[in-house]
Amino acid sequence: MLYNFTDIPQSLLSNPGAEVNYKWHVGIPLLSHIHANAGASGTSVYDLFADNGIDFNEKLRRVVYSMNKNDFFTVNQQLEIFSGGFAIGPSYEKNKYLSFGLYQEMDLHLYFPKDYAVLAYEGNRDNIGRVFDLSDLNAKGELISVLHVGLTTKLNKKWTYGFRGKIYSSLLNFKSTNNKGSFVTQEGTNNFYYHTFDLDLAFQTSGFASLVDLENEGQNDWNGKAIKELRKRVLFGGNLGLGLDVGFTYHPKEQWTVTGSIQDLGFIHHTKDVETYTLKGEYTFEGVNPLFPNNGSGQTADEYWQEIEDTFDDLFELDTITKNYTSWRSPKLNGSVSYKYGKKVLKECNCTAEDGDYLNEVGLQIYAIGRPRRPQTAVTAFYYRRLFSFLSGKVTYTADTFSKTNIGLGISSHIGNVNFYIMADNLLEYQNLAKANYASVQLGFNYIFPATKK
């Protein structure tokens, strides 16, 4: 929703080529941009925990079998620590605009491990000969800070373009995305089972080992010490990387606008506090019992998972290596086409405002983010309206992986030189968020001089 909402300075974060028509701005520290979203493509909290008289095991069974390995869970959170910008040039109407800031971001993406879930739920006693695909394990996550500087250039009335350079500092990272392997149980003679693992699994981490060491040392106030350690990594204290954003705004005709941007073309090289856990090779075990108990065997959940953990501790030994690795950011693609109409009528002269001063805008946006298996995409239709000189709003309808009934609303106000904005997606589900497959909210405060006068 923030994309191309140019009343708000943070729109430059999603498109460094967005149009700017103020002299300078500064974000209120820690309050200028707060954003959080979460989604699940194949299920919801309600499906598992609804108080509807259905047994939990039955609800769990339905969830396990209704999802596939391309369904996913995702969480993203951003907090802007500081931000600002100022015009460079003789006038703020035709110039270069330099923007900068530091923000923290958390991004988690986990695909549903279908065969793992079926194996954990059913066990393997009744799955003799079935080959379970262990490549279903696919997940990545990161906690980073981003120091950035962008330059937006208004070339002429038709073209505006911009670039943003980024320095990434990784606080925490994990990645397990290129796994291979299988597991199969076959029945032998004399009631023996043969369990065969063909494994090529890896789980890469950085930033976690030192936090685990703090816990193992029995440190008092571990939470406080861990937070202090993470704060040290916010600015050049962790594993570093580089990134680039590019974007543009183009007016083929006065009332038409075409925009586009690519964000986070970048990487982080992990050299500090790195540990990679691997399981490789072919292992065959035999016994009179299946390795995985059936979920309905009368055990509590804790007993069930403890038995599986004990079995794996007995059978396998993880190899731990401290080899450097590179993680690539998930690039984002944005684009839009829109049409403006309805010029403002000026009371002082009972005439229409100058060219380009329109009250309404309708358009279509596209969004895509790169993910390990396939891009996550969305298409959004929107209507923008300048309600008063100090207030504007944007209504959206989005069709994406999560929902086909996603209605969103965003409001931006300019009272004096203070800008406040708030936006939320999927409003139809707010009456019962437990049923929602997706929810998003963002808000912030800025000081703008002069405030946009429209």
Side-chain angles (χ1 to χ4, degrees), residues 164-359:
R164 182 172 307 282
K166 296 180 173 180
I167 299 177
Y168 304 119
S169 295
S170 175
L171 284 69
L172 297 170
N173 179 272
F174 72 85
K175 184 175 69 167
S176 185
T177 57
N178 295 307
N179 296 302
K180 301 175 183 177
S182 62
F183 167 71
V184 62
T185 298
Q186 295 174 321
E187 191 169 6
T189 58
N190 299 321
N191 295 321
F192 268 76
Y193 294 102
Y194 294 93
H195 313 287
T196 302
F197 290 88
D198 184 9
L199 302 176
D200 187 359
L201 309 178
F203 189 79
Q204 297 174 307
T205 72
S206 74
F208 288 93
S210 58
L211 301 183
V212 173
D213 289 342
L214 284 177
E215 186 176 23
N216 292 338
E217 291 169 5
Q219 295 275 358
N220 294 326
D221 187 25
W222 179 84
N223 289 336
K225 292 181 183 297
I227 292 173
K228 185 177 180 180
E229 173 63 27
L230 292 176
R231 284 176 178 170
K232 292 179 182 178
R233 305 174 187 177
V234 169
L235 198 59
F236 307 122
N239 298 291
L240 301 179
L242 297 173
L244 177 68
D245 299 350
V246 297
F248 72 91
T249 299
Y250 172 57
H251 299 285
K253 293 184 179 180
E254 179 189 334
Q255 292 173 255
W256 287 92
T257 304
V258 179
T259 73
S261 72
I262 300 176
Q263 301 168 249
D264 287 319
L265 293 171
F267 66 92
I268 300 173
H269 191 51
H270 300 271
T271 60
K272 303 176 183 178
D273 208 9
V274 174
E275 287 191 346
T276 297
Y277 309 99
T278 63
L279 268 178
K280 293 186 177 181
E282 185 172 312
Y283 306 87
T284 299
F285 308 93
E286 63 180 56
V288 295
N289 295 313
L291 287 178
F292 299 94
N294 185 287
N295 184 253
S297 57
Q299 297 170 301
T300 66
D302 287 342
E303 291 170 341
Y304 175 74
W305 289 110
Q306 186 62 51
E307 182 173 343
I308 292 179
E309 182 180 346
D310 292 342
T311 298
F312 269 75
D313 287 343
D314 292 339
L315 295 180
F316 303 108
E317 183 175 346
L318 285 171
D319 291 328
T320 303
I321 58 178
T322 56
K323 182 180 179 181
N324 300 342
Y325 70 93
T326 298
S327 64
W328 294 91
R329 297 302 319 282
S330 299
K332 306 176 186 71
L333 174 69
N334 291 284
S336 74
V337 57
S338 62
Y339 176 78
K340 296 179 180 180
Y341 64 96
K343 286 188 177 181
K344 180 180 180 181
V345 177
L346 303 177
K347 292 182 180 179
E348 55 267 27
C349 62
N350 195 29
C351 58
T352 57
E354 62 183 21
D355 290 348
D357 199 4
Y358 294 93
L359 295 175

Side-chain angles (χ1 to χ4, degrees), residues 52 54 57-67 121:
N52 54 9
I54 300 176
N57 280 338
E58 173 59 20
K59 288 185 284 191
L60 178 62
R61 187 192 68 81
R62 292 179 183 180
V63 169
V64 167
Y65 291 105
S66 66
M67 299 177 70
Y121 184 81

Side-chain angles (χ1 to χ4, degrees), residues 4-73:
N4 212 35
F5 204 152
T6 56
D7 298 12
I8 304 169
Q10 279 70 27
S11 65
L12 288 168
L13 290 176
S14 56
N15 181 6
E19 293 180 311
V20 181
N21 53 5
Y22 33 84
K23 290 183 179 179
W24 59 268
H25 82 276
V26 61
I28 307 301
L30 300 177
L31 293 175
S32 56
H33 184 60
I34 301 170
H35 174 215
N37 69 63
S41 66
T43 189
S44 68
V45 174
Y46 184 85
D47 294 334
L48 274 177
F49 299 104
D51 185 12
N52 54 9
I54 300 176
D55 181 72
F56 178 79
N57 280 338
E58 173 59 20
K59 288 185 284 191
L60 178 62
R61 187 192 68 81
R62 292 179 183 180
V63 169
V64 167
Y65 291 105
S66 66
M67 299 177 70
N68 63 63
K69 70 175 186 178
N70 291 318
D71 283 316
F72 60 88
F73 307 89

Side-chain angles (χ1 to χ4, degrees), residues 61-225:
R61 187 192 68 81
R62 292 179 183 180
V63 169
V64 167
Y65 291 105
S66 66
M67 299 177 70
N68 63 63
K69 70 175 186 178
N70 291 318
D71 283 316
F72 60 88
F73 307 89
T74 184
V75 177
N76 183 269
Q77 169 269 329
Q78 290 184 350
L79 174 65
E80 198 166 62
I81 300 171
F82 69 83
S83 67
F86 56 88
I88 304 171
S91 73
Y92 70 89
E93 294 176 345
K94 184 179 181 180
N95 61 6
K96 298 178 185 295
Y97 195 82
L98 185 71
S99 57
F100 54 88
L102 174 70
Y103 66 88
Q104 167 266 320
E105 180 175 8
M106 177 185 68
D107 188 64
L108 304 174
H109 192 83
L110 167 68
Y111 286 98
F112 179 64
K114 176 74 174 187
D115 274 18
Y116 288 78
V118 171
L119 181 59
Y121 184 81
E122 293 185 357
N124 60 327
R125 180 186 297 276
D126 298 324
N127 283 294
I128 305 303
R130 174 172 176 173
V131 179
F132 290 91
D133 186 358
L134 301 186
S135 68
D136 283 0
L137 178 61
N138 193 313
K140 62 185 296 188
E142 60 183 0
L143 178 64
I144 64 172
S145 67
V146 184
L147 181 67
H148 60 90
V149 177
L151 184 64
T152 303
T153 301
K154 185 173 182 179
L155 192 62
N156 50 46
K157 287 186 176 181
K158 288 192 171 185
W159 282 100
T160 301
Y161 64 90
F163 302 89
R164 182 172 307 282
K166 296 180 173 180
I167 299 177
Y168 304 119
S169 295
S170 175
L171 284 69
L172 297 170
N173 179 272
F174 72 85
K175 184 175 69 167
S176 185
T177 57
N178 295 307
N179 296 302
K180 301 175 183 177
S182 62
F183 167 71
V184 62
T185 298
Q186 295 174 321
E187 191 169 6
T189 58
N190 299 321
N191 295 321
F192 268 76
Y193 294 102
Y194 294 93
H195 313 287
T196 302
F197 290 88
D198 184 9
L199 302 176
D200 187 359
L201 309 178
F203 189 79
Q204 297 174 307
T205 72
S206 74
F208 288 93
S210 58
L211 301 183
V212 173
D213 289 342
L214 284 177
E215 186 176 23
N216 292 338
E217 291 169 5
Q219 295 275 358
N220 294 326
D221 187 25
W222 179 84
N223 289 336
K225 292 181 183 297

